[in-house]
Amino acid sequence: MNEAVSSSSLVTVLSLLGSSQTFVYLLSVALLVLVADYTWILYRRWCMPPGPFPWPIVGNTFSLPDTKPWYLFEKLSQEYNSPVITFWIGRNPTVWVNDAWSAHEMLVEKASIYTSRPRMLVFAELGIGQYNLLMMYTFTRAQRERFRAIRKLTHLGLNVEQVKKYQKFQDNELKIAMRDLLVSPDDFVSHFERYATSVVSIIGYGRRTKNKNDPILTEVMNFMKSAAALNVPGKSFPMLMETFPFLAKFPNKIAPWKYGLGSVRESRHSIPDFFLALAIEANSPDRPDNYSKLLFQERERYNLHDLELSQLTANLLGGGADTSSSTLATAVLAMRAFPEACRLAQSEIDRVVGPVRSPNLSDRDNLPYVRAFVKEVFRWRTVAIIGGQPHAPTEDTTWNGYRISKGTWVQGNTWAIHHNSRDFPEPDRFDPSRFLGGSNARPFPTKEGYMTFGWGRRVCPGQHLAEQGTFLGVARLLWAFKIEPAIDEATGEEVPVDIFDYTNGLNWLPQPFKVRFTPRSPEIHKAIQKEAQQAEEGLDMFNIPTEFQFSTFYK
Ligand code: HEM
């Protein structure tokens, strides 16, 4: 009996020893892999632009602030005395470009190398992937050819000549926005959103968003805005998956950190995709000309996949609505906070345009101060605050002797670029004269004097449309309204505004603020109403309902 017990204990001890040996063995291998991996990271760090010391596995992720990481990258660039720095998100180095000259040198002068997007887990691989221009890689010849084709199709809808054709309805929608401001001035941001969404909806689908409760406006805009809010490098989910990519492999049911990303949503309709449904609807003969029709015509020639087609139209909403309206919200904040700039612009408009009609695009050449005002709006609080999605080099390259390997995540920090006091003295001061050769004017590597629309071959294809609309919007706001401090009803005091109080997100806008809009004269008041009425008539052909609603489209 005793013998039997002792021999079974011996077996247990031996097997424990065996398993602990296996454990020790596995642990040693893991440690070895970790050390080798970390050595490799440190070697890469040594070759790359400077930046904070990364930890094994997590890199610098946990030194990211909860919001607005662009301030941190600006600060690090100053601390390391280098416009270009490296910051490790997990095991992936991200390169942050913090001044205009380096951004130009890398992303414009070497545009053919920096055309690609890097591998992005959260917004590309778990999302729409390579069907959307925004995410497209250009590493292989096949990828480059597809990118060129999709970019060309995008330009077909947004090139300079095409954008001129949109002037009429863009102008009309803005005239209506001015009247909306007379009616409910406190809702100014939602009036801008309606205007901007309507313009891209007419372009894409030949129908306008007349009411502020149009589903495209309430649902799609909200969806796009939440996506932009989540799409900021950070230490919370879902972006934390970029640091720990294995977390993306869990099924969505048990992985709340994935926020549903990566799941296929089943349609209630015979058409599988919401934006495809809108495009098919827009392709009907009784709809006014629109971009969806053009895409259906080009479909065979470009061998377009359904999802490529739907994403080409969705990008108008995704790229053009939120950005354009938030830029106008920033313009209002600037007008409220910097009355002197406003006064100068208004006296120019009064001289050139007068009160009987509002300024339009044909006045542009005669309004140099207003043009400079618009440039300053684009610079002062640039809406795409980190220049949209990152770029990636398609081959190993260098900056200033530092190595930047193929596929590295390279992000232009537009905040830091436009906030650099060497290029823009007193950068928080809203000062249009810096674009007119005033004492604050400094050289800049681009002819526009700003980098609001990105760089190189990925530069925003909607730039002409956005510049045209922002000029019209800003000039008309200045012509129409005194934009003054709101008065607190309880205290009778002026309500202050904070020029730093902005939302967190890839496209930021001022947090809600109060301001008083007063028509600048009775004559102007009358002109706003008259022009809006004429505009309604001009837009009537686009007042068409849609059968589809985003919130009810999928099961
Ligand atoms: C004030 C308004 C706008 C701003 C500030 C803006 C800014 C930007 C920026 C910074 C990028 C990234 C560029 C890069 O990667 O280097 C971009 C890309 C893009 N924008 Fe805009 N945008 C605006 C309006 C528009 C409009 C009106 C449209 C279309 C109707 C549009 C469509 C797009 C598209 C499709 C891309 C992706 C291009 C690509 O990845 O190749 N944007 N935009």
Side-chain angles (χ1 to χ4, degrees):
M1 168 80 178
N2 268 354
E3 249 174 48
V5 169
S6 62
S7 71
S8 86
S9 322
L10 192 69
V11 171
T12 317
V13 169
L14 279 176
S15 73
L16 270 176
L17 206 66
S19 64
S20 73
Q21 259 175 358
T22 315
F23 176 72
V24 171
Y25 173 74
L26 287 177
L27 194 71
S28 316
V29 172
L31 265 173
L32 220 70
V33 170
L34 193 73
V35 170
D37 182 63
Y38 194 45
T39 313
W40 172 234
I41 286 178
L42 293 182
Y43 169 71
R44 289 180 73 193
R45 174 179 187 264
W46 181 62
C47 304
M48 292 189 72
F53 208 79
W55 292 97
I57 303 170
V58 295
N60 306 117
T61 304
F62 291 99
S63 14
L64 280 171
D66 291 328
T67 59
K68 303 187 177 75
W70 40 93
Y71 296 144
L72 171 71
F73 300 123
E74 180 189 39
K75 194 165 141 261
L76 288 174
S77 159
Q78 286 155 1
E79 271 171 32
Y80 286 89
N81 196 20
S82 170
V84 181
I85 56 153
T86 309
F87 190 91
W88 291 73
I89 306 276
R91 298 171 58 261
N92 279 333
T94 62
V95 167
W96 287 80
V97 187
N98 294 283
D99 97 333
W101 303 88
S102 331
H104 195 259
E105 196 184 325
M106 293 166 76
L107 306 176
V108 180
E109 284 170 7
K110 291 188 178 177
S112 61
I113 294 179
Y114 281 99
T115 320
S116 191
R117 300 293 183 208
R119 278 195 67 185
M120 289 180 284
L121 180 65
V122 175
F123 276 88
E125 294 186 10
L126 290 176
I128 193 72
Q130 293 300 296
Y131 291 120
N132 190 309
L133 172 68
L134 223 68
M135 321 294 174
M136 283 176 90
Y137 307 142
T138 62
F139 294 110
T140 65
R141 177 197 268 253
Q143 286 171 345
R144 278 193 288 278
E145 275 169 13
R146 201 62 196 147
F147 166 75
R148 273 198 288 273
I150 299 292
R151 220 21 233 197
K152 195 167 164 199
L153 281 167
T154 305
H155 280 295
L156 284 185
L158 293 169
N159 64 58
V160 184
E161 286 313 308
Q162 201 64 21
V163 165
K164 282 187 193 148
K165 296 187 195 151
Y166 307 149
Q167 279 177 4
K168 189 87 199 125
F169 58 79
Q170 192 175 33
D171 191 50
N172 280 336
E173 286 292 15
L174 267 165
K175 286 178 174 162
I176 286 171
M178 294 304 125
R179 198 228 0 236
D180 291 345
L181 284 170
L182 283 181
V183 177
S184 50
D186 291 347
D187 297 334
F188 64 97
V189 176
S190 59
H191 300 322
F192 297 154
E193 287 176 354
R194 191 212 60 77
Y195 141 75
T197 309
S198 201
V199 169
V200 285
S201 176
I202 295 175
I203 296 173
Y205 308 110
R207 73 171 286 269
R208 64 188 290 243
T209 54
K210 183 178 181 191
N211 305 310
K212 63 178 184 187
N213 38 9
D214 187 292
I216 293 277
L217 198 60
T218 51
E219 299 172 352
V220 180
M221 270 286 273
N222 282 348
F223 173 75
M224 304 281 188
K225 274 192 198 170
S226 335
L230 287 176
N231 193 1
V232 174
K235 56 183 183 205
S236 50
F237 287 111
M239 287 308 270
L240 201 53
M241 282 191 285
E242 300 285 356
T243 303
F244 304 114
F246 71 93
L247 289 174
K249 299 213 184 301
F250 287 78
N252 280 13
K253 267 192 227 147
I254 57 160
W257 58 84
K258 285 173 78 179
Y259 282 70
L261 289 163
S263 59
V264 179
R265 300 177 75 188
E266 220 182 309
S267 164
R268 288 177 194 281
H269 304 264
S270 54
I271 308 166
D273 176 82
F274 174 70
F275 294 105
L276 183 64
L278 291 185
I280 291 172
E281 192 184 47
N283 192 31
S284 106
D286 33 289
R287 277 275 172 108
D289 265 357
N290 62 67
Y291 183 53
S292 297
K293 285 191 181 185
L294 190 144
L295 291 178
F296 277 103
Q297 280 158 24
E298 299 293 332
R299 184 182 201 167
E300 253 175 61
R301 188 176 344 165
Y302 285 85
N303 194 18
L304 268 187
H305 187 283
D306 277 353
L307 286 179
E308 287 177 324
L309 192 150
S310 89
Q311 291 301 302
L312 276 162
T313 71
N315 275 353
L316 303 181
L317 288 167
D322 187 11
T323 46
S324 306
S325 59
S326 301
T327 301
L328 289 179
T330 277
V332 171
L333 180 62
M335 291 172 195
R336 155 67 184 86
F338 297 89
E340 178 57 13
C342 236
R343 197 186 59 73
L344 290 171
Q346 285 169 334
S347 64
E348 183 180 75
I349 294 175
D350 291 345
R351 245 185 358 262
V352 175
V353 181
V356 182
R357 63 161 182 95
S358 65
N360 57 43
L361 288 167
S362 65
D363 298 312
R364 192 152 40 174
D365 290 347
N366 300 322
L367 295 171
Y369 192 84
V370 176
R371 288 203 311 271
F373 196 109
V374 174
K375 280 178 186 267
E376 183 67 340
V377 168
F378 282 138
R379 180 210 64 92
W380 181 63
R381 294 288 183 260
T382 313
V383 56
I385 195 65
I386 48 173
Q389 301 291 355
H391 290 227
T394 49
E395 57 188 65
D396 291 350
T397 178
T398 56
W399 171 80
N400 213 15
Y402 294 112
R403 181 183 305 164
I404 298 174
S405 314
K406 174 178 173 180
T408 303
W409 184 312
V410 178
Q411 188 100 43
N413 184 0
T414 317
W415 164 260
I417 289 172
H418 286 166
H419 201 244
N420 186 322
S421 51
R422 181 200 54 211
D423 299 332
F424 302 103
E426 297 181 80
D428 290 310
R429 218 170 80 124
F430 184 88
D431 177 12
S433 82
R434 62 177 96 241
F435 290 102
L436 291 169
S439 60
N440 272 346
R442 296 288 182 277
F444 200 77
T446 68
K447 67 173 181 347
E448 293 98 341
Y450 49 74
M451 291 187 163
T452 308
F453 294 94
W455 304 270
R457 297 194 185 165
R458 295 313 281 237
V459 75
C460 173
Q463 179 169 357
H464 305 302
L465 181 70
E467 286 176 339
Q468 180 173 286
T470 310
F471 172 82
L472 270 176
V474 168
R476 209 160 263 160
L477 277 166
L478 287 162
W479 166 81
F481 297 103
K482 284 187 236 163
I483 294 180
E484 295 168 314
I487 303 295
D488 185 323
E489 279 175 19
T491 62
E493 306 266 308
E494 289 186 358
V495 181
V497 287
D498 180 352
I499 58 167
F500 293 95
D501 193 13
Y502 267 65
T503 58
N504 181 45
L506 202 70
N507 296 329
W508 72 352
L509 81 160
Q511 293 285 6
F513 63 96
K514 286 196 186 321
V515 69
R516 199 154 39 107
F517 291 88
T518 320
R520 291 180 58 232
S521 71
E523 222 173 346
I524 286 181
H525 191 161
K526 231 163 82 192
I528 297 173
Q529 284 174 320
K530 189 172 140 219
E531 289 190 351
Q533 200 185 338
Q534 287 164 348
E536 291 280 11
E537 287 159 22
L539 290 166
D540 194 43
M541 63 192 290
F542 304 115
N543 287 329
I544 303 167
T546 173
E547 197 191 316
F548 303 107
Q549 213 171 311
F550 191 63
S551 59
T552 57
F553 193 84
Y554 298 102
K555 282 183 192 158

